[in-house]
Coordinates of all heavy atoms in Angstrom, one line a residue:
E148 N 146.6 115.3 156.8 CA 145.8 116.6 156.6 C 144.7 116.6 157.7 O 144.4 117.8 158.2 CB 145.1 116.5 155.2 CG 144.3 117.7 154.9 CD 143.5 117.6 153.7 OE1 143.2 116.5 153.2 OE2 143.2 118.7 153.2
F149 N 144.1 115.6 157.9 CA 143.1 115.6 159.0 C 143.6 116.0 160.4 O 142.9 116.9 160.9 CB 142.6 114.1 159.2 CG 141.4 114.0 160.1 CD1 140.1 114.7 159.8 CD2 141.4 113.1 161.2 CE1 139.1 114.6 160.7 CE2 140.4 113.0 162.1 CZ 139.1 113.7 161.7
R150 N 144.9 115.7 160.7 CA 145.4 116.2 161.9 C 145.5 117.8 161.9 O 145.3 118.4 162.9 CB 146.7 115.5 162.3 CG 146.5 114.0 162.7 CD 147.8 113.5 163.4 NE 148.9 113.4 162.3 CZ 149.0 112.3 161.6 NH1 148.4 111.3 161.7 NH2 150.1 112.3 160.7
R151 N 146.0 118.1 160.7 CA 146.2 119.7 160.6 C 144.8 120.4 160.7 O 144.8 121.5 161.3 CB 146.8 120.0 159.1 CG 148.2 119.5 159.1 CD 149.0 120.0 157.9 NE 148.4 119.6 156.7 CZ 148.9 118.5 156.1 NH1 149.9 117.7 156.6 NH2 148.4 118.0 154.9
L152 N 143.8 119.8 160.1 CA 142.4 120.4 160.2 C 142.0 120.4 161.6 O 141.4 121.3 162.1 CB 141.4 119.6 159.4 CG 141.7 119.8 157.8 CD1 140.9 118.8 157.0 CD2 141.3 121.2 157.4
L153 N 142.2 119.3 162.4 CA 141.8 119.4 163.8 C 142.5 120.4 164.6 O 142.0 121.0 165.4 CB 142.0 117.9 164.3 CG 141.2 116.8 163.8 CD1 141.4 115.5 164.7 CD2 139.7 117.1 163.7
A154 N 143.8 120.4 164.2 CA 144.6 121.5 165.0 C 144.1 122.9 164.7 O 144.0 123.9 165.5 CB 146.1 121.3 164.6
A155 N 143.8 123.1 163.3 CA 143.3 124.5 163.0 C 141.9 124.8 163.7 O 141.7 126.0 164.0 CB 143.2 124.5 161.4
G156 N 141.1 123.7 164.0 CA 139.9 123.9 164.5 C 139.9 124.1 166.1 O 138.9 124.3 166.7
R157 N 141.0 123.7 166.6 CA 141.2 124.0 168.1 C 140.2 123.2 169.0 O 139.6 123.7 169.9 CB 141.3 125.5 168.5 CG 142.4 126.2 167.7 CD 142.7 127.6 168.3 NE 141.5 128.4 168.2 CZ 141.1 129.1 167.2 NH1 141.8 129.1 166.1 NH2 140.0 129.9 167.2
G158 N 139.9 122.0 168.5 CA 138.9 121.3 169.2 C 137.5 121.4 168.8 O 136.7 120.8 169.5
H159 N 137.2 122.3 167.7 CA 135.9 122.6 167.4 C 135.4 121.7 166.2 O 134.2 121.9 165.9 CB 135.7 124.0 167.2 CG 135.9 124.9 168.3 ND1 135.2 124.8 169.6 CD2 136.8 125.9 168.6 CE1 135.6 125.6 170.4 NE2 136.7 126.4 169.9
V160 N 136.3 120.9 165.5 CA 135.7 120.1 164.5 C 134.9 119.0 165.1 O 135.4 118.1 165.9 CB 136.9 119.6 163.7 CG1 136.4 118.5 162.6 CG2 137.5 120.6 162.9
R161 N 133.6 119.0 164.9 CA 132.7 118.0 165.5 C 132.3 116.7 164.7 O 132.0 115.8 165.2 CB 131.3 118.7 165.9 CG 131.5 119.9 166.8 CD 131.9 119.7 168.1 NE 131.2 118.8 168.8 CZ 131.1 118.5 170.2 NH1 132.0 119.2 170.9 NH2 130.4 117.6 170.7
M162 N 132.4 117.0 163.3 CA 132.0 115.9 162.5 C 132.7 115.9 161.1 O 133.0 117.0 160.7 CB 130.5 115.9 162.3 CG 129.9 114.8 161.4 SD 128.1 114.6 161.6 CE 127.5 116.0 160.9
V163 N 133.0 114.8 160.6 CA 133.6 114.6 159.3 C 132.9 113.7 158.5 O 132.5 112.5 159.1 CB 135.1 114.2 159.3 CG1 135.3 112.9 160.1 CG2 135.6 114.3 157.9
T164 N 132.4 114.0 157.2 CA 131.6 113.1 156.3 C 132.7 112.6 155.3 O 133.5 113.4 154.7 CB 130.5 113.9 155.7 OG1 129.6 114.2 156.6 CG2 129.9 113.0 154.6
L165 N 132.6 111.2 155.1 CA 133.4 110.6 154.1 C 132.9 109.3 153.5 O 131.8 108.9 154.0 CB 134.8 110.1 154.9 CG 134.8 109.5 156.1 CD1 134.5 108.0 156.0 CD2 136.1 109.4 156.9
A166 N 133.4 109.0 152.4 CA 132.9 107.8 151.7 C 133.8 106.7 152.1 O 135.0 106.6 152.0 CB 133.1 108.0 150.2
P167 N 133.1 105.6 152.8 CA 133.9 104.6 153.4 C 134.7 103.7 152.5 O 135.6 102.8 152.9 CB 132.9 103.9 154.3 CG 131.6 104.1 153.5 CD 131.7 105.4 153.0
E168 N 134.2 103.6 151.2 CA 134.8 102.7 150.2 C 136.2 103.2 149.8 O 137.0 102.5 149.1 CB 134.0 102.4 149.0 CG 133.8 103.8 148.0 CD 132.7 104.7 148.5 OE1 132.3 104.7 149.6 OE2 132.2 105.3 147.7
L169 N 136.6 104.5 150.0 CA 137.9 105.0 149.6 C 139.1 104.4 150.3 O 138.9 104.0 151.6 CB 137.9 106.6 149.8 CG 137.0 107.3 149.1 CD1 137.0 108.8 149.4 CD2 137.1 107.2 147.5
P170 N 140.2 104.1 149.8 CA 141.4 103.6 150.5 C 141.7 104.5 151.7 O 141.9 105.6 151.6 CB 142.5 103.7 149.4 CG 141.7 103.7 148.1 CD 140.5 104.4 148.3
G171 N 141.8 103.8 152.9 CA 142.1 104.5 154.0 C 141.0 105.1 154.8 O 141.3 105.7 156.0
A172 N 139.7 105.0 154.3 CA 138.6 105.7 154.9 C 138.3 105.1 156.3 O 138.1 105.7 157.3 CB 137.4 105.5 154.0
L173 N 138.3 103.7 156.5 CA 138.0 103.1 157.7 C 139.0 103.5 158.7 O 138.7 103.7 160.0 CB 137.9 101.6 157.5 CG 136.8 101.1 156.6 CD1 136.7 99.7 156.6 CD2 135.4 101.7 157.1
D174 N 140.4 103.6 158.4 CA 141.3 104.1 159.4 C 141.1 105.6 159.7 O 141.3 105.9 160.9 CB 142.8 104.0 158.7 CG 143.2 102.6 158.7 OD1 142.7 101.7 159.4 OD2 144.1 102.3 157.7
L175 N 140.6 106.3 158.8 CA 140.2 107.7 159.3 C 139.0 107.8 160.1 O 139.0 108.6 161.0 CB 140.1 108.6 158.0 CG 140.0 110.0 158.3 CD1 141.6 110.5 158.5 CD2 139.5 110.9 157.1
V176 N 138.1 106.9 159.9 CA 136.9 106.7 160.9 C 137.4 106.5 162.2 O 137.1 107.2 163.2 CB 135.9 105.7 160.4 CG1 135.0 105.4 161.5 CG2 135.2 106.0 159.2
R177 N 138.3 105.4 162.3 CA 139.0 105.2 163.7 C 139.7 106.4 164.2 O 139.6 106.6 165.5 CB 139.8 103.9 163.6 CG 139.0 102.6 163.2 CD 139.9 101.5 163.1 NE 139.3 100.4 162.5 CZ 139.4 100.0 161.2 NH1 140.3 100.6 160.5 NH2 138.8 98.9 160.8
A178 N 140.4 107.0 163.5 CA 141.1 108.3 163.9 C 140.2 109.2 164.4 O 140.5 110.0 165.4 CB 142.0 108.7 162.8
A179 N 139.2 109.5 163.6 CA 138.2 110.5 164.1 C 137.6 110.3 165.4 O 137.4 111.1 166.3 CB 137.1 110.7 163.0
V180 N 137.2 109.0 165.6 CA 136.5 108.5 166.9 C 137.5 108.8 168.0 O 137.2 109.2 169.1 CB 136.1 107.0 166.6 CG1 135.7 106.6 167.9 CG2 135.0 107.0 165.7
A181 N 138.8 108.3 167.8 CA 139.8 108.5 168.7 C 140.0 110.0 169.1 O 140.4 110.3 170.4 CB 141.2 108.0 168.3
E182 N 139.7 110.9 168.3 CA 139.8 112.4 168.5 C 138.4 112.9 169.1 O 138.3 114.2 169.0 CB 140.3 113.2 167.4 CG 141.7 112.7 166.9 CD 142.8 113.2 167.9 OE1 142.4 114.1 168.8 OE2 143.9 112.8 167.8
D183 N 137.5 112.2 169.4 CA 136.1 112.5 169.7 C 135.5 113.4 168.6 O 134.7 114.3 168.9 CB 136.2 113.4 171.0 CG 134.8 113.5 171.8 OD1 134.1 112.6 171.6 OD2 134.5 114.5 172.4
V184 N 135.6 113.0 167.4 CA 135.0 113.7 166.3 C 134.0 112.6 165.7 O 134.4 111.5 165.5 CB 136.1 114.1 165.2 CG1 135.3 114.7 163.9 CG2 136.9 115.1 165.7
V185 N 132.9 113.0 165.4 CA 131.8 112.1 164.9 C 132.1 111.9 163.4 O 132.4 112.7 162.7 CB 130.4 112.6 165.0 CG1 129.3 111.8 164.3 CG2 130.0 113.0 166.4
A186 N 132.2 110.6 163.1 CA 132.5 110.1 161.7 C 131.1 109.8 161.1 O 130.2 109.2 161.6 CB 133.3 108.9 161.6
A187 N 130.8 110.3 159.9 CA 129.6 110.3 159.1 C 129.9 109.7 157.8 O 130.9 110.0 157.1 CB 128.8 111.6 159.0
V188 N 128.9 108.7 157.3 CA 129.0 108.2 156.0 C 128.2 108.9 155.0 O 127.0 109.3 155.3 CB 128.5 106.7 156.0 CG1 128.3 106.2 154.6 CG2 129.4 105.9 156.9
G189 N 128.7 109.5 153.9 CA 127.8 110.2 153.0 C 128.7 110.3 151.7 O 129.9 110.2 151.7
H190 N 128.0 110.9 150.7 CA 128.6 111.1 149.4 C 129.4 109.8 149.0 O 130.6 109.9 148.7 CB 129.5 112.3 149.3 CG 128.7 113.6 149.4 ND1 128.4 114.3 148.2 CD2 128.3 114.4 150.5 CE1 127.6 115.4 148.5 NE2 127.6 115.3 150.0
T191 N 128.7 108.7 148.9 CA 129.4 107.5 148.8 C 128.6 106.5 147.8 O 127.5 106.6 147.7 CB 129.3 106.8 150.3 OG1 129.9 105.5 150.2 CG2 127.9 106.7 150.9
D192 N 129.5 105.6 147.3 CA 129.0 104.6 146.4 C 129.2 103.3 147.0 O 129.3 102.2 146.4 CB 129.6 104.7 145.0 CG 128.8 104.0 143.9 OD1 127.6 104.0 144.1 OD2 129.3 103.5 143.0
A193 N 129.4 103.2 148.4 CA 129.7 102.0 149.0 C 128.5 101.1 149.0 O 127.4 101.4 149.0 CB 130.1 102.4 150.6
D194 N 128.9 99.6 149.1 CA 127.9 98.7 149.2 C 127.5 98.5 150.7 O 127.9 99.2 151.5 CB 128.4 97.3 148.6 CG 129.7 96.8 149.2 OD1 129.9 97.2 150.4 OD2 130.3 96.0 148.6
H195 N 126.6 97.5 150.9 CA 126.1 97.4 152.3 C 127.1 97.0 153.2 O 127.3 97.5 154.3 CB 124.9 96.4 152.2 CG 124.2 96.2 153.5 ND1 124.7 95.3 154.4 CD2 123.1 96.8 154.1 CE1 123.8 95.3 155.4 NE2 122.9 96.3 155.3
A196 N 127.9 96.0 152.8 CA 128.9 95.4 153.6 C 130.1 96.5 154.0 O 130.5 96.6 155.1 CB 129.6 94.3 153.0
T197 N 130.4 97.3 153.0 CA 131.5 98.3 153.3 C 130.8 99.4 154.4 O 131.6 99.9 155.1 CB 131.9 99.1 152.0 OG1 132.3 98.0 151.2 CG2 132.9 100.0 152.4
T198 N 129.6 99.7 154.1 CA 129.0 100.7 154.9 C 128.9 100.1 156.4 O 129.1 100.9 157.4 CB 127.6 101.1 154.6 OG1 127.7 101.5 153.1 CG2 127.0 102.2 155.2
R199 N 128.5 98.8 156.5 CA 128.5 98.3 157.8 C 129.9 98.3 158.5 O 130.0 98.3 159.7 CB 128.0 96.9 157.7 CG 126.4 96.7 157.6 CD 125.7 97.3 158.8 NE 126.1 96.7 160.1 CZ 125.6 95.6 160.6 NH1 124.6 94.9 159.9 NH2 126.0 95.0 161.6
A200 N 130.8 98.1 157.6 CA 132.2 98.1 158.2 C 132.6 99.4 158.7 O 133.2 99.5 159.8 CB 133.3 97.7 157.0
A201 N 132.1 100.5 158.1 CA 132.3 102.0 158.7 C 131.6 102.1 159.9 O 132.2 102.7 160.9 CB 131.9 102.9 157.7
F202 N 130.4 101.6 160.1 CA 129.5 101.7 161.4 C 130.3 100.9 162.4 O 130.4 101.3 163.6 CB 128.2 101.3 161.2 CG 127.5 102.2 160.2 CD1 126.5 101.7 159.5 CD2 127.7 103.5 160.2 CE1 125.7 102.5 158.5 CE2 127.0 104.3 159.3 CZ 126.0 103.9 158.5
D203 N 130.9 99.7 162.1 CA 131.5 99.0 163.1 C 132.9 99.6 163.5 O 133.4 99.4 164.6 CB 131.9 97.5 162.4 CG 130.7 96.6 162.2 OD1 129.6 97.0 163.0 OD2 130.8 95.7 161.5
A204 N 133.4 100.3 162.6 CA 134.6 101.1 162.9 C 134.4 102.3 163.8 O 135.4 102.9 164.4 CB 135.4 101.6 161.7
G205 N 133.1 102.7 163.9 CA 132.8 103.9 164.8 C 132.0 105.0 164.2 O 131.6 105.8 164.9
A206 N 131.7 104.9 162.9 CA 130.9 105.9 162.3 C 129.4 105.8 162.8 O 128.9 104.7 163.0 CB 130.8 105.7 160.8
T207 N 128.8 107.0 163.1 CA 127.5 106.9 163.8 C 126.5 107.9 163.2 O 125.4 108.0 163.7 CB 127.6 107.3 165.2 OG1 128.4 108.6 165.4 CG2 128.4 106.4 166.1
V208 N 126.8 108.5 161.9 CA 125.9 109.3 161.3 C 125.8 109.0 159.8 O 126.9 108.6 159.2 CB 126.1 110.8 161.5 CG1 125.3 111.7 160.6 CG2 126.0 111.2 163.0
A209 N 124.7 109.1 159.2 CA 124.5 109.0 157.8 C 124.2 110.4 157.3 O 123.1 110.9 157.6 CB 123.5 108.0 157.4
T210 N 124.9 111.0 156.4 CA 124.9 112.4 155.9 C 123.7 112.5 155.0 O 123.7 111.6 154.0 CB 126.1 113.0 155.4 OG1 127.2 113.0 156.5 CG2 126.0 114.3 154.8
H211 N 122.8 113.3 155.1 CA 121.5 113.5 154.3 C 121.3 112.3 153.6 O 121.5 112.1 152.3 CB 121.7 114.7 153.4 CG 123.0 114.9 152.6 ND1 123.6 113.8 151.9 CD2 123.8 116.0 152.3 CE1 124.6 114.3 151.2 NE2 124.8 115.6 151.4
L212 N 120.5 111.3 154.3 CA 120.1 110.0 153.8 C 119.5 110.1 152.5 O 118.7 111.1 152.2 CB 119.3 109.4 154.8 CG 118.8 107.8 154.6 CD1 120.1 107.1 154.9 CD2 117.6 107.5 155.4
F213 N 119.9 109.3 151.5 CA 119.3 109.0 150.3 C 120.2 110.0 149.3 O 120.4 109.5 148.1 CB 117.9 109.5 150.0 CG 116.9 108.6 150.8 CD1 116.2 109.1 152.0 CD2 116.9 107.2 150.5 CE1 115.4 108.3 152.5 CE2 115.9 106.5 151.1 CZ 115.3 106.9 152.2
N214 N 120.6 111.1 149.6 CA 121.1 112.1 148.8 C 122.6 111.8 148.6 O 123.3 111.8 149.5 CB 121.0 113.4 149.1 CG 119.5 113.8 149.2 OD1 118.9 114.2 150.2 ND2 118.8 113.9 148.1
Q215 N 123.0 111.7 147.3 CA 124.5 111.4 146.9 C 125.0 110.2 147.6 O 126.1 110.2 148.2 CB 125.3 112.7 147.2 CG 124.9 113.9 146.2 CD 125.0 113.5 144.7 OE1 125.9 112.6 144.4 NE2 124.2 114.2 143.9
M216 N 124.2 109.2 147.5 CA 124.7 107.9 148.1 C 124.0 106.8 147.2 O 122.9 107.0 146.5 CB 124.5 107.6 149.5 CG 123.0 107.6 149.9 SD 122.8 107.2 151.8 CE 123.9 108.4 152.6
R217 N 124.7 105.6 147.1 CA 124.1 104.6 146.3 C 122.7 104.3 146.7 O 122.4 104.1 147.9 CB 124.9 103.4 146.6 CG 124.5 102.0 145.8 CD 125.2 100.7 146.2 NE 126.6 100.8 145.8 CZ 127.3 99.8 145.2 NH1 126.6 98.7 144.8 NH2 128.6 99.9 144.9
P218 N 121.8 104.2 145.7 CA 120.3 104.1 146.1 C 120.0 102.7 146.6 O 120.6 101.8 146.5 CB 119.7 104.5 144.9 CG 120.7 104.1 143.7 CD 122.0 104.4 144.3
L219 N 118.9 102.7 147.3 CA 118.4 101.4 147.9 C 117.9 100.5 146.7 O 117.2 101.1 145.9 CB 117.3 101.7 148.8 CG 116.6 100.5 149.5 CD1 117.5 99.9 150.5 CD2 115.3 101.1 150.3

Side-chain angles (χ1 to χ4, degrees):
E148 180 187 26
F149 184 62
R150 287 194 295 271
R151 290 192 294 271
L152 289 166
L153 295 188
R157 302 193 298 276
H159 295 302
V160 174
R161 304 290 308 189
M162 182 163 65
V163 58
T164 295
L165 49 74
E168 71 272 24
L169 297 178
L173 296 185
D174 286 337
L175 196 72
V176 168
R177 299 184 186 98
V180 172
E182 295 289 346
D183 199 29
V184 176
V185 173
V188 169
H190 287 272
T191 175
D192 204 30
D194 59 17
H195 184 271
T197 302
T198 308
R199 282 297 304 271
F202 296 147
D203 289 340
T207 54
V208 171
T210 295
H211 48 47
L212 190 74
F213 299 113
N214 297 116
Q215 293 304 328
M216 60 176 56
R217 181 190 291 232
L219 179 68

